[in-house]
Amino acid sequence: MEEAISKDEAQLALRMIHDQQREVIAHVGLPRWYWWGVAAAWVAIGVISDLGQAWVALGATFLFGVAHSAVAQRIFSGRRASRQLTVRAGVVDRHLPLMLFGALIAMGAVTVGLGFLADADGAEHASTFASVIVAIAIVGLGPQVLTAVRRRAQRNLDA
Amino acid sequence: MTAPQFDELIHPSTRLSIVALLAAADWIDFAFVRDRLGLSDSALSKQFATLEGAGYITVERPVEDRRRRVRVRLTPAGRVAFDGHVAALRAVLGPLAVDP
């Protein structure tokens, strides 16, 4: 039965399938406000660390963690809520939430490291400096991570 | 590994496009498919009726914000048929099969 169609026709059909599914995969991602929200909170915690007492910074970090957890539960699947469609769960890498949490922890470590470096260099607002650098990285690189996730999802579907 | 099974019902380009979209999603709104494929409401409804008649899709009509929406899903039978059809297309290409 397979030979009922030509190789060209089969190739064309597979390309059509690929193109249609790419349209669905374009819906994989996190809302833009998430990246800006995390970046803003990051800078705010940096500023608080420079201005306030240690317990205030700790409290702010805790609050951020609680708020972030609440948001993450809803959006970290990468399957953005939409009135148009919901991407199938198996299409998106099931490790995505873990990857995003890992990236967040890594960003925290980088911020602390940068803060210590800036402080050792005599910077007046070391925490703010470090948090701004990392916040820029979050806004700039965060969406790129999701682009890679979309590419991987497409490969999974094509496999 | 899905067994190759060429499916005459899915193969026409419009239905293949519809099923390909649905295969990557839990559900898709009628309007999204219509706009994506550039079809009229009636033309798309006919295609859906054919696929629904074969047991490949289900059509739901939930009410959201006081508006009735039409959502379409691929059934397990539809997914098996689609996977088999894709495997059959790849089998035609044989070892020459490459990512599109």
Side-chain angles (χ1 to χ4, degrees):
Chain A
M1 190 68 196
E2 287 97 43
E3 298 305 326
I5 62 167
S6 67
K7 288 186 174 179
D8 285 347
E9 196 181 345
Q11 184 76 60
L12 198 68
L14 286 171
R15 188 177 297 277
M16 185 189 298
I17 290 168
H18 172 91
D19 290 347
Q20 298 301 347
Q21 296 194 325
R22 193 172 54 189
E23 196 67 25
V24 174
I25 287 170
H27 286 69
V28 172
L30 298 184
R32 191 173 291 273
W33 57 257
Y34 169 77
W35 303 110
W36 284 101
V38 169
W42 218 264
V43 173
I45 291 171
V47 171
I48 289 169
S49 298
D50 276 334
L51 298 180
Q53 293 178 327
W55 67 267
V56 179
L58 260 176
T61 307
F62 177 75
L63 274 181
F64 168 72
V66 170
H68 185 271
S69 295
V71 171
Q73 280 177 12
R74 290 195 297 117
I75 65 170
F76 264 25
S77 69
R79 300 156 65 208
R80 274 186 297 186
S82 152
R83 286 186 174 186
Q84 295 182 312
L85 58 87
T86 300
V87 178
R88 188 160 62 90
V91 171
V92 186
D93 191 327
R94 65 193 170 90
H95 297 113
L96 178 61
L98 207 64
M99 284 159 55
L100 291 170
F101 271 118
L104 211 62
I105 289 167
M107 289 290 163
V110 169
T111 310
V112 171
L114 274 176
F116 276 125
L117 279 175
D119 192 46
D121 201 37
E124 203 168 326
H125 302 294
S127 296
T128 304
F129 167 78
S131 64
V132 167
I133 298 289
V134 173
I136 291 169
I138 288 169
V139 171
L141 300 178
Q144 302 300 319
V145 172
L146 268 296
T147 302
V149 169
R150 280 192 285 272
R151 272 201 297 269
R152 195 165 168 173
Q154 183 73 63
R155 276 201 302 274
N156 288 343
L157 279 172
D158 289 341
Chain B
M1 191 70 181
T2 308
Q5 181 64 53
F6 191 89
D7 193 308
E8 296 277 7
L9 190 102
I10 289 179
H11 189 65
S13 62
T14 304
R15 287 203 284 270
L16 186 60
S17 294
I18 292 169
V19 176
L21 283 169
L22 292 173
D26 279 347
W27 57 265
I28 299 186
D29 191 77
F30 181 98
F32 179 86
V33 182
R34 180 196 60 205
D35 297 345
R36 170 75 190 149
L37 303 185
L39 295 172
S40 65
D41 285 0
S42 61
L44 185 57
S45 294
K46 271 185 197 169
Q47 301 295 346
F48 279 164
T50 303
L51 290 167
E52 195 175 19
Y56 287 175
I57 64 166
T58 55
V59 180
E60 302 160 3
R61 291 175 173 78
V63 177
E64 205 174 78
D65 297 337
R66 294 183 186 176
R67 289 184 60 191
R68 188 169 291 283
R69 309 193 74 89
V70 179
R71 288 178 175 176
V72 192
R73 292 175 193 271
L74 202 61
T75 63
R79 189 166 301 284
V80 168
F82 176 71
D83 290 345
H85 189 68
V86 170
L89 293 172
R90 289 191 174 137
V92 171
L93 294 178
L96 294 174
V98 289
D99 286 343

